[in-house]
mmCIF file of all heavy atoms in Angstrom:
data_model
loop_
_atom_site.group_PDB
_atom_site.id
_atom_site.type_symbol
_atom_site.label_atom_id
_atom_site.label_comp_id
_atom_site.label_asym_id
_atom_site.label_seq_id
_atom_site.Cartn_x
_atom_site.Cartn_y
_atom_site.Cartn_z
ATOM 1 N N GLN K 15 -9.237 -18.498 0.043
ATOM 2 C CA GLN K 15 -8.608 -19.421 -0.899
ATOM 3 C C GLN K 15 -8.424 -18.807 -2.282
ATOM 4 O O GLN K 15 -7.596 -19.266 -3.055
ATOM 5 C CB GLN K 15 -9.440 -20.695 -1.034
ATOM 6 C CG GLN K 15 -9.588 -21.485 0.237
ATOM 7 C CD GLN K 15 -8.256 -21.948 0.789
ATOM 8 O OE1 GLN K 15 -7.376 -22.378 0.062
ATOM 9 N NE2 GLN K 15 -8.102 -21.868 2.089
ATOM 10 N N GLY K 16 -9.202 -17.794 -2.604
ATOM 11 C CA GLY K 16 -9.150 -17.219 -3.950
ATOM 12 C C GLY K 16 -10.042 -18.014 -4.885
ATOM 13 O O GLY K 16 -10.774 -18.903 -4.459
ATOM 14 N N PRO K 17 -9.988 -17.724 -6.172
ATOM 15 C CA PRO K 17 -10.832 -18.446 -7.129
ATOM 16 C C PRO K 17 -10.564 -19.954 -7.061
ATOM 17 O O PRO K 17 -9.422 -20.385 -6.994
ATOM 18 C CB PRO K 17 -10.410 -17.882 -8.489
ATOM 19 C CG PRO K 17 -9.767 -16.574 -8.171
ATOM 20 C CD PRO K 17 -9.159 -16.707 -6.802
ATOM 21 N N LEU K 18 -11.645 -20.730 -7.048
ATOM 22 C CA LEU K 18 -11.515 -22.180 -6.901
ATOM 23 C C LEU K 18 -12.161 -22.909 -8.070
ATOM 24 O O LEU K 18 -13.133 -22.434 -8.648
ATOM 25 C CB LEU K 18 -12.186 -22.646 -5.603
ATOM 26 C CG LEU K 18 -11.559 -22.154 -4.308
ATOM 27 C CD1 LEU K 18 -12.424 -22.536 -3.120
ATOM 28 C CD2 LEU K 18 -10.162 -22.719 -4.138
ATOM 29 N N ALA K 19 -11.601 -24.070 -8.372
ATOM 30 C CA ALA K 19 -12.159 -24.976 -9.373
ATOM 31 C C ALA K 19 -12.162 -26.377 -8.765
ATOM 32 O O ALA K 19 -11.543 -26.620 -7.719
ATOM 33 C CB ALA K 19 -11.329 -24.935 -10.645
ATOM 34 N N ALA K 20 -12.834 -27.306 -9.408
ATOM 35 C CA ALA K 20 -12.965 -28.666 -8.880
ATOM 36 C C ALA K 20 -11.617 -29.292 -8.480
ATOM 37 O O ALA K 20 -11.530 -29.894 -7.410
ATOM 38 C CB ALA K 20 -13.704 -29.547 -9.876
ATOM 39 N N PRO K 21 -10.541 -29.165 -9.273
ATOM 40 C CA PRO K 21 -9.272 -29.798 -8.875
ATOM 41 C C PRO K 21 -8.719 -29.286 -7.539
ATOM 42 O O PRO K 21 -7.925 -29.972 -6.896
ATOM 43 C CB PRO K 21 -8.322 -29.466 -10.021
ATOM 44 C CG PRO K 21 -9.223 -29.280 -11.200
ATOM 45 C CD PRO K 21 -10.468 -28.638 -10.631
ATOM 46 N N ASP K 22 -9.143 -28.112 -7.105
ATOM 47 C CA ASP K 22 -8.679 -27.583 -5.819
ATOM 48 C C ASP K 22 -9.152 -28.441 -4.650
ATOM 49 O O ASP K 22 -8.566 -28.392 -3.567
ATOM 50 C CB ASP K 22 -9.135 -26.136 -5.640
ATOM 51 C CG ASP K 22 -8.474 -25.205 -6.632
ATOM 52 O OD1 ASP K 22 -7.241 -25.294 -6.799
ATOM 53 O OD2 ASP K 22 -9.186 -24.403 -7.260
ATOM 54 N N LEU K 23 -10.201 -29.235 -4.856
ATOM 55 C CA LEU K 23 -10.681 -30.114 -3.787
ATOM 56 C C LEU K 23 -9.625 -31.132 -3.376
ATOM 57 O O LEU K 23 -9.681 -31.675 -2.281
ATOM 58 C CB LEU K 23 -11.954 -30.838 -4.229
ATOM 59 C CG LEU K 23 -13.175 -29.938 -4.422
ATOM 60 C CD1 LEU K 23 -14.296 -30.713 -5.094
ATOM 61 C CD2 LEU K 23 -13.624 -29.350 -3.098
ATOM 62 N N LEU K 24 -8.654 -31.359 -4.222
ATOM 63 C CA LEU K 24 -7.600 -32.317 -3.901
ATOM 64 C C LEU K 24 -6.600 -31.769 -2.884
ATOM 65 O O LEU K 24 -5.836 -32.521 -2.297
ATOM 66 C CB LEU K 24 -6.870 -32.746 -5.177
ATOM 67 C CG LEU K 24 -7.743 -33.461 -6.204
ATOM 68 C CD1 LEU K 24 -6.959 -33.714 -7.483
ATOM 69 C CD2 LEU K 24 -8.310 -34.749 -5.640
ATOM 70 N N ARG K 25 -6.608 -30.453 -2.649
ATOM 71 C CA ARG K 25 -5.659 -29.868 -1.695
ATOM 72 C C ARG K 25 -6.343 -29.213 -0.491
ATOM 73 O O ARG K 25 -5.704 -28.938 0.512
ATOM 74 C CB ARG K 25 -4.782 -28.830 -2.402
ATOM 75 C CG ARG K 25 -5.521 -27.605 -2.878
ATOM 76 C CD ARG K 25 -4.585 -26.497 -3.371
ATOM 77 N NE ARG K 25 -5.335 -25.374 -3.881
ATOM 78 C CZ ARG K 25 -5.894 -24.432 -3.134
ATOM 79 N NH1 ARG K 25 -5.791 -24.471 -1.820
ATOM 80 N NH2 ARG K 25 -6.567 -23.440 -3.687
ATOM 81 N N LEU K 26 -7.625 -28.944 -0.589
ATOM 82 C CA LEU K 26 -8.347 -28.257 0.491
ATOM 83 C C LEU K 26 -8.729 -29.228 1.598
ATOM 84 O O LEU K 26 -8.887 -30.428 1.359
ATOM 85 C CB LEU K 26 -9.612 -27.606 -0.066
ATOM 86 C CG LEU K 26 -9.397 -26.492 -1.071
ATOM 87 C CD1 LEU K 26 -10.730 -26.057 -1.675
ATOM 88 C CD2 LEU K 26 -8.689 -25.316 -0.431
ATOM 89 N N PRO K 27 -8.909 -28.727 2.830
ATOM 90 C CA PRO K 27 -9.391 -29.602 3.898
ATOM 91 C C PRO K 27 -10.837 -30.017 3.607
ATOM 92 O O PRO K 27 -11.694 -29.169 3.391
ATOM 93 C CB PRO K 27 -9.316 -28.750 5.161
ATOM 94 C CG PRO K 27 -8.885 -27.399 4.760
ATOM 95 C CD PRO K 27 -8.613 -27.381 3.302
ATOM 96 N N LEU K 28 -11.060 -31.319 3.564
ATOM 97 C CA LEU K 28 -12.399 -31.845 3.308
ATOM 98 C C LEU K 28 -13.035 -32.288 4.611
ATOM 99 O O LEU K 28 -12.378 -32.887 5.468
ATOM 100 C CB LEU K 28 -12.333 -33.025 2.338
ATOM 101 C CG LEU K 28 -11.749 -32.734 0.965
ATOM 102 C CD1 LEU K 28 -11.800 -33.988 0.099
ATOM 103 C CD2 LEU K 28 -12.453 -31.571 0.289
ATOM 104 N N ILE K 29 -14.303 -31.990 4.743
ATOM 105 C CA ILE K 29 -15.069 -32.376 5.928
ATOM 106 C C ILE K 29 -15.902 -33.593 5.549
ATOM 107 O O ILE K 29 -16.760 -33.523 4.666
ATOM 108 C CB ILE K 29 -15.952 -31.209 6.405
ATOM 109 C CG1 ILE K 29 -15.052 -30.016 6.774
ATOM 110 C CG2 ILE K 29 -16.829 -31.638 7.566
ATOM 111 C CD1 ILE K 29 -15.797 -28.731 7.036
ATOM 112 N N HIS K 30 -15.620 -34.715 6.200
ATOM 113 C CA HIS K 30 -16.285 -35.987 5.895
ATOM 114 C C HIS K 30 -17.401 -36.256 6.895
ATOM 115 O O HIS K 30 -17.248 -35.995 8.082
ATOM 116 C CB HIS K 30 -15.284 -37.142 5.987
ATOM 117 C CG HIS K 30 -14.179 -37.060 4.990
ATOM 118 N ND1 HIS K 30 -14.208 -37.724 3.792
ATOM 119 C CD2 HIS K 30 -13.004 -36.391 5.023
ATOM 120 C CE1 HIS K 30 -13.104 -37.474 3.119
ATOM 121 N NE2 HIS K 30 -12.349 -36.663 3.852
ATOM 122 N N LEU K 31 -18.486 -36.825 6.396
ATOM 123 C CA LEU K 31 -19.552 -37.322 7.256
ATOM 124 C C LEU K 31 -19.441 -38.838 7.283
ATOM 125 O O LEU K 31 -19.529 -39.487 6.240
ATOM 126 C CB LEU K 31 -20.920 -36.909 6.726
ATOM 127 C CG LEU K 31 -22.103 -37.444 7.523
ATOM 128 C CD1 LEU K 31 -22.082 -36.904 8.960
ATOM 129 C CD2 LEU K 31 -23.399 -37.100 6.833
ATOM 130 N N GLU K 32 -19.179 -39.369 8.456
ATOM 131 C CA GLU K 32 -19.086 -40.823 8.611
ATOM 132 C C GLU K 32 -20.392 -41.297 9.222
ATOM 133 O O GLU K 32 -20.636 -41.131 10.406
ATOM 134 C CB GLU K 32 -17.887 -41.185 9.463
ATOM 135 C CG GLU K 32 -16.589 -40.796 8.779
ATOM 136 C CD GLU K 32 -15.357 -41.185 9.552
ATOM 137 O OE1 GLU K 32 -15.461 -41.489 10.754
ATOM 138 O OE2 GLU K 32 -14.284 -41.162 8.947
ATOM 139 N N SER K 33 -21.246 -41.855 8.378
ATOM 140 C CA SER K 33 -22.584 -42.247 8.785
ATOM 141 C C SER K 33 -22.747 -43.754 8.702
ATOM 142 O O SER K 33 -22.147 -44.409 7.841
ATOM 143 C CB SER K 33 -23.610 -41.567 7.859
ATOM 144 O OG SER K 33 -24.903 -42.062 8.103
ATOM 145 N N ALA K 34 -23.583 -44.293 9.576
ATOM 146 C CA ALA K 34 -23.913 -45.708 9.516
ATOM 147 C C ALA K 34 -24.786 -45.989 8.287
ATOM 148 O O ALA K 34 -24.850 -47.114 7.815
ATOM 149 C CB ALA K 34 -24.630 -46.137 10.781
ATOM 150 N N ASN K 35 -25.415 -44.957 7.752
ATOM 151 C CA ASN K 35 -26.238 -45.089 6.554
ATOM 152 C C ASN K 35 -25.322 -45.130 5.335
ATOM 153 O O ASN K 35 -24.816 -44.118 4.892
ATOM 154 C CB ASN K 35 -27.222 -43.918 6.456
ATOM 155 C CG ASN K 35 -28.115 -44.011 5.243
ATOM 156 O OD1 ASN K 35 -27.909 -44.839 4.362
ATOM 157 N ND2 ASN K 35 -29.114 -43.157 5.191
ATOM 158 N N ARG K 36 -25.105 -46.287 4.782
ATOM 159 C CA ARG K 36 -24.180 -46.464 3.664
ATOM 160 C C ARG K 36 -24.742 -45.907 2.354
ATOM 161 O O ARG K 36 -24.048 -45.876 1.356
ATOM 162 C CB ARG K 36 -23.838 -47.945 3.485
ATOM 163 C CG ARG K 36 -23.145 -48.551 4.681
ATOM 164 C CD ARG K 36 -21.756 -48.015 4.803
ATOM 165 N NE ARG K 36 -21.123 -48.611 5.971
ATOM 166 C CZ ARG K 36 -20.077 -48.091 6.552
ATOM 167 N NH1 ARG K 36 -19.550 -46.980 6.119
ATOM 168 N NH2 ARG K 36 -19.554 -48.685 7.602
ATOM 169 N N GLY K 37 -25.983 -45.438 2.345
ATOM 170 C CA GLY K 37 -26.578 -44.886 1.140
ATOM 171 C C GLY K 37 -26.126 -43.466 0.833
ATOM 172 O O GLY K 37 -26.354 -42.975 -0.262
ATOM 173 N N TRP K 38 -25.477 -42.811 1.786
ATOM 174 C CA TRP K 38 -25.047 -41.434 1.576
ATOM 175 C C TRP K 38 -23.762 -41.429 0.759
ATOM 176 O O TRP K 38 -22.849 -42.200 1.024
ATOM 177 C CB TRP K 38 -24.795 -40.746 2.917
ATOM 178 C CG TRP K 38 -26.044 -40.351 3.630
ATOM 179 C CD1 TRP K 38 -27.191 -41.072 3.733
ATOM 180 C CD2 TRP K 38 -26.266 -39.139 4.333
ATOM 181 N NE1 TRP K 38 -28.106 -40.392 4.476
ATOM 182 C CE2 TRP K 38 -27.568 -39.205 4.857
ATOM 183 C CE3 TRP K 38 -25.492 -38.025 4.580
ATOM 184 C CZ2 TRP K 38 -28.118 -38.167 5.606
ATOM 185 C CZ3 TRP K 38 -26.037 -37.002 5.334
ATOM 186 C CH2 TRP K 38 -27.338 -37.073 5.833
ATOM 187 N N GLU K 39 -23.726 -40.556 -0.212
ATOM 188 C CA GLU K 39 -22.501 -40.409 -1.007
ATOM 189 C C GLU K 39 -21.493 -39.602 -0.200
ATOM 190 O O GLU K 39 -21.861 -38.701 0.548
ATOM 191 C CB GLU K 39 -22.807 -39.705 -2.319
ATOM 192 C CG GLU K 39 -23.828 -40.468 -3.126
ATOM 193 C CD GLU K 39 -23.452 -40.628 -4.555
ATOM 194 O OE1 GLU K 39 -22.480 -40.020 -4.999
ATOM 195 O OE2 GLU K 39 -24.158 -41.376 -5.236
ATOM 196 N N GLY K 40 -20.223 -39.927 -0.394
ATOM 197 C CA GLY K 40 -19.158 -39.215 0.304
ATOM 198 C C GLY K 40 -18.185 -38.612 -0.684
ATOM 199 O O GLY K 40 -18.401 -38.611 -1.897
ATOM 200 N N TRP K 41 -17.093 -38.101 -0.153
ATOM 201 C CA TRP K 41 -16.091 -37.473 -1.010
ATOM 202 C C TRP K 41 -15.537 -38.399 -2.082
ATOM 203 O O TRP K 41 -15.317 -37.955 -3.211
ATOM 204 C CB TRP K 41 -14.976 -36.868 -0.159
ATOM 205 C CG TRP K 41 -15.370 -35.551 0.414
ATOM 206 C CD1 TRP K 41 -15.599 -35.255 1.727
ATOM 207 C CD2 TRP K 41 -15.593 -34.337 -0.308
ATOM 208 N NE1 TRP K 41 -15.961 -33.940 1.858
ATOM 209 C CE2 TRP K 41 -15.959 -33.347 0.618
ATOM 210 C CE3 TRP K 41 -15.538 -33.986 -1.651
ATOM 211 C CZ2 TRP K 41 -16.256 -32.042 0.254
ATOM 212 C CZ3 TRP K 41 -15.828 -32.683 -2.027
ATOM 213 C CH2 TRP K 41 -16.180 -31.731 -1.079
ATOM 214 N N PRO K 42 -15.282 -39.680 -1.813
ATOM 215 C CA PRO K 42 -14.754 -40.528 -2.898
ATOM 216 C C PRO K 42 -15.677 -40.549 -4.118
ATOM 217 O O PRO K 42 -15.219 -40.439 -5.260
ATOM 218 C CB PRO K 42 -14.640 -41.913 -2.252
ATOM 219 C CG PRO K 42 -14.448 -41.623 -0.798
ATOM 220 C CD PRO K 42 -15.303 -40.403 -0.527
ATOM 221 N N GLU K 43 -16.978 -40.665 -3.886
ATOM 222 C CA GLU K 43 -17.933 -40.701 -4.996
ATOM 223 C C GLU K 43 -18.030 -39.353 -5.701
ATOM 224 O O GLU K 43 -18.115 -39.278 -6.934
ATOM 225 C CB GLU K 43 -19.323 -41.121 -4.492
ATOM 226 C CG GLU K 43 -19.397 -42.534 -3.976
ATOM 227 C CD GLU K 43 -18.955 -42.708 -2.526
ATOM 228 O OE1 GLU K 43 -18.736 -41.704 -1.811
ATOM 229 O OE2 GLU K 43 -18.809 -43.856 -2.108
ATOM 230 N N ILE K 44 -17.988 -38.268 -4.944
ATOM 231 C CA ILE K 44 -18.096 -36.929 -5.528
ATOM 232 C C ILE K 44 -16.846 -36.617 -6.353
ATOM 233 O O ILE K 44 -16.939 -36.095 -7.466
ATOM 234 C CB ILE K 44 -18.327 -35.869 -4.433
ATOM 235 C CG1 ILE K 44 -19.656 -36.134 -3.718
ATOM 236 C CG2 ILE K 44 -18.263 -34.466 -5.004
ATOM 237 C CD1 ILE K 44 -20.874 -36.174 -4.615
ATOM 238 N N LEU K 45 -15.668 -36.926 -5.818
ATOM 239 C CA LEU K 45 -14.440 -36.678 -6.578
ATOM 240 C C LEU K 45 -14.445 -37.471 -7.882
ATOM 241 O O LEU K 45 -14.072 -36.952 -8.931
ATOM 242 C CB LEU K 45 -13.209 -37.006 -5.726
ATOM 243 C CG LEU K 45 -12.981 -36.106 -4.513
ATOM 244 C CD1 LEU K 45 -11.799 -36.634 -3.686
ATOM 245 C CD2 LEU K 45 -12.759 -34.668 -4.916
ATOM 246 N N ALA K 46 -14.890 -38.723 -7.817
ATOM 247 C CA ALA K 46 -14.959 -39.543 -9.030
ATOM 248 C C ALA K 46 -15.946 -38.945 -10.032
ATOM 249 O O ALA K 46 -15.666 -38.890 -11.237
ATOM 250 C CB ALA K 46 -15.351 -40.974 -8.681
ATOM 251 N N ALA K 47 -17.099 -38.472 -9.549
ATOM 252 C CA ALA K 47 -18.096 -37.867 -10.439
ATOM 253 C C ALA K 47 -17.558 -36.607 -11.107
ATOM 254 O O ALA K 47 -17.964 -36.270 -12.223
ATOM 255 C CB ALA K 47 -19.366 -37.557 -9.658
ATOM 256 N N LEU K 48 -16.639 -35.922 -10.434
ATOM 257 C CA LEU K 48 -16.015 -34.715 -10.992
ATOM 258 C C LEU K 48 -14.827 -35.048 -11.898
ATOM 259 O O LEU K 48 -14.174 -34.150 -12.424
ATOM 260 C CB LEU K 48 -15.565 -33.783 -9.860
ATOM 261 C CG LEU K 48 -16.684 -33.140 -9.052
ATOM 262 C CD1 LEU K 48 -16.116 -32.444 -7.826
ATOM 263 C CD2 LEU K 48 -17.482 -32.172 -9.911
ATOM 264 N N GLY K 49 -14.536 -36.339 -12.047
ATOM 265 C CA GLY K 49 -13.423 -36.750 -12.889
ATOM 266 C C GLY K 49 -12.072 -36.592 -12.228
ATOM 267 O O GLY K 49 -11.038 -36.544 -12.895
ATOM 268 N N LEU K 50 -12.072 -36.528 -10.888
ATOM 269 C CA LEU K 50 -10.826 -36.353 -10.133
ATOM 270 C C LEU K 50 -10.364 -37.684 -9.566
ATOM 271 O O LEU K 50 -11.181 -38.572 -9.302
ATOM 272 C CB LEU K 50 -11.039 -35.343 -9.004
ATOM 273 C CG LEU K 50 -11.420 -33.935 -9.456
ATOM 274 C CD1 LEU K 50 -11.824 -33.092 -8.255
ATOM 275 C CD2 LEU K 50 -10.291 -33.284 -10.215
ATOM 276 N N PRO K 51 -9.063 -37.832 -9.352
ATOM 277 C CA PRO K 51 -8.560 -39.088 -8.786
ATOM 278 C C PRO K 51 -8.917 -39.197 -7.307
ATOM 279 O O PRO K 51 -9.237 -38.198 -6.660
ATOM 280 C CB PRO K 51 -7.039 -38.964 -8.969
ATOM 281 C CG PRO K 51 -6.781 -37.501 -8.947
ATOM 282 C CD PRO K 51 -7.984 -36.869 -9.609
ATOM 283 N N PRO K 52 -8.848 -40.411 -6.776
ATOM 284 C CA PRO K 52 -9.064 -40.575 -5.334
ATOM 285 C C PRO K 52 -8.023 -39.775 -4.552
ATOM 286 O O PRO K 52 -6.918 -39.538 -5.028
ATOM 287 C CB PRO K 52 -8.868 -42.069 -5.099
ATOM 288 C CG PRO K 52 -8.966 -42.696 -6.433
ATOM 289 C CD PRO K 52 -8.566 -41.668 -7.447
ATOM 290 N N ARG K 53 -8.396 -39.358 -3.387
ATOM 291 C CA ARG K 53 -7.496 -38.586 -2.546
ATOM 292 C C ARG K 53 -7.189 -39.410 -1.294
ATOM 293 O O ARG K 53 -7.937 -39.383 -0.318
ATOM 294 C CB ARG K 53 -8.188 -37.272 -2.165
ATOM 295 C CG ARG K 53 -7.283 -36.320 -1.440
ATOM 296 C CD ARG K 53 -8.071 -35.076 -1.134
ATOM 297 N NE ARG K 53 -8.049 -34.860 0.289
ATOM 298 C CZ ARG K 53 -8.142 -33.684 0.856
ATOM 299 N NH1 ARG K 53 -8.308 -32.619 0.128
ATOM 300 N NH2 ARG K 53 -8.100 -33.577 2.147
ATOM 301 N N PRO K 54 -6.078 -40.162 -1.306
ATOM 302 C CA PRO K 54 -5.792 -41.040 -0.177
ATOM 303 C C PRO K 54 -5.372 -40.282 1.083
ATOM 304 O O PRO K 54 -5.565 -40.761 2.188
ATOM 305 C CB PRO K 54 -4.665 -41.931 -0.687
ATOM 306 C CG PRO K 54 -4.016 -41.149 -1.768
ATOM 307 C CD PRO K 54 -5.088 -40.273 -2.361
ATOM 308 N N HIS K 55 -4.783 -39.102 0.922
ATOM 309 C CA HIS K 55 -4.304 -38.341 2.079
ATOM 310 C C HIS K 55 -4.636 -36.870 1.856
ATOM 311 O O HIS K 55 -4.970 -36.446 0.767
ATOM 312 C CB HIS K 55 -2.790 -38.507 2.246
ATOM 313 C CG HIS K 55 -2.372 -39.932 2.386
ATOM 314 N ND1 HIS K 55 -2.643 -40.680 3.497
ATOM 315 C CD2 HIS K 55 -1.728 -40.756 1.531
ATOM 316 C CE1 HIS K 55 -2.173 -41.901 3.325
ATOM 317 N NE2 HIS K 55 -1.612 -41.973 2.139
ATOM 318 N N GLY K 56 -4.484 -36.114 2.880
ATOM 319 C CA GLY K 56 -4.730 -34.680 2.792
ATOM 320 C C GLY K 56 -5.455 -34.212 4.036
ATOM 321 O O GLY K 56 -5.946 -35.018 4.828
ATOM 322 N N PRO K 57 -5.533 -32.910 4.217
ATOM 323 C CA PRO K 57 -6.199 -32.398 5.406
ATOM 324 C C PRO K 57 -7.680 -32.763 5.396
ATOM 325 O O PRO K 57 -8.340 -32.651 4.367
ATOM 326 C CB PRO K 57 -5.986 -30.888 5.324
ATOM 327 C CG PRO K 57 -5.673 -30.606 3.891
ATOM 328 C CD PRO K 57 -5.062 -31.853 3.337
ATOM 329 N N ALA K 58 -8.160 -33.240 6.538
ATOM 330 C CA ALA K 58 -9.560 -33.670 6.621
ATOM 331 C C ALA K 58 -10.058 -33.607 8.054
ATOM 332 O O ALA K 58 -9.280 -33.729 9.002
ATOM 333 C CB ALA K 58 -9.709 -35.087 6.085
ATOM 334 N N LEU K 59 -11.347 -33.402 8.174
ATOM 335 C CA LEU K 59 -12.048 -33.502 9.452
ATOM 336 C C LEU K 59 -13.141 -34.541 9.267
ATOM 337 O O LEU K 59 -13.714 -34.662 8.184
ATOM 338 C CB LEU K 59 -12.682 -32.160 9.837
ATOM 339 C CG LEU K 59 -11.719 -31.022 10.114
ATOM 340 C CD1 LEU K 59 -12.485 -29.705 10.201
ATOM 341 C CD2 LEU K 59 -10.973 -31.273 11.405
ATOM 342 N N ARG K 60 -13.464 -35.274 10.319
ATOM 343 C CA ARG K 60 -14.487 -36.311 10.230
ATOM 344 C C ARG K 60 -15.508 -36.117 11.347
ATOM 345 O O ARG K 60 -15.139 -35.910 12.500
ATOM 346 C CB ARG K 60 -13.848 -37.695 10.332
ATOM 347 C CG ARG K 60 -12.868 -37.941 9.208
ATOM 348 C CD ARG K 60 -12.263 -39.336 9.267
ATOM 349 N NE ARG K 60 -11.258 -39.493 8.231
ATOM 350 C CZ ARG K 60 -11.517 -39.691 6.951
ATOM 351 N NH1 ARG K 60 -12.761 -39.762 6.540
ATOM 352 N NH2 ARG K 60 -10.541 -39.815 6.067
ATOM 353 N N PHE K 61 -16.773 -36.206 10.952
ATOM 354 C CA PHE K 61 -17.869 -36.063 11.905
ATOM 355 C C PHE K 61 -18.862 -37.196 11.684
ATOM 356 O O PHE K 61 -19.004 -37.688 10.567
ATOM 357 C CB PHE K 61 -18.590 -34.717 11.712
ATOM 358 C CG PHE K 61 -17.738 -33.534 12.054
ATOM 359 C CD1 PHE K 61 -16.986 -32.901 11.080
ATOM 360 C CD2 PHE K 61 -17.675 -33.059 13.349
ATOM 361 C CE1 PHE K 61 -16.187 -31.814 11.383
ATOM 362 C CE2 PHE K 61 -16.877 -31.972 13.672
ATOM 363 C CZ PHE K 61 -16.137 -31.346 12.692
ATOM 364 N N ASN K 62 -19.581 -37.574 12.735
ATOM 365 C CA ASN K 62 -20.631 -38.574 12.596
ATOM 366 C C ASN K 62 -22.010 -37.935 12.706
ATOM 367 O O ASN K 62 -23.003 -38.623 12.907
ATOM 368 C CB ASN K 62 -20.458 -39.706 13.613
ATOM 369 C CG ASN K 62 -20.618 -39.225 15.043
ATOM 370 O OD1 ASN K 62 -20.844 -38.054 15.297
ATOM 371 N ND2 ASN K 62 -20.480 -40.144 15.976
#
Side-chain angles (χ1 to χ4, degrees):
Q15 298 300 319
L18 295 172
D22 294 313
L23 293 170
L24 298 174
R25 67 171 177 80
L26 295 173
L28 300 182
I29 299 170
H30 297 264
L31 177 62
E32 295 182 344
S33 172
N35 181 350
R36 298 289 180 199
W38 284 41
E39 301 227 351
W41 280 112
E43 294 84 9
I44 297 303
L45 294 175
L48 292 170
L50 298 171
R53 187 180 122 152
H55 303 290
L59 295 169
R60 299 182 184 283
F61 293 92
N62 65 359

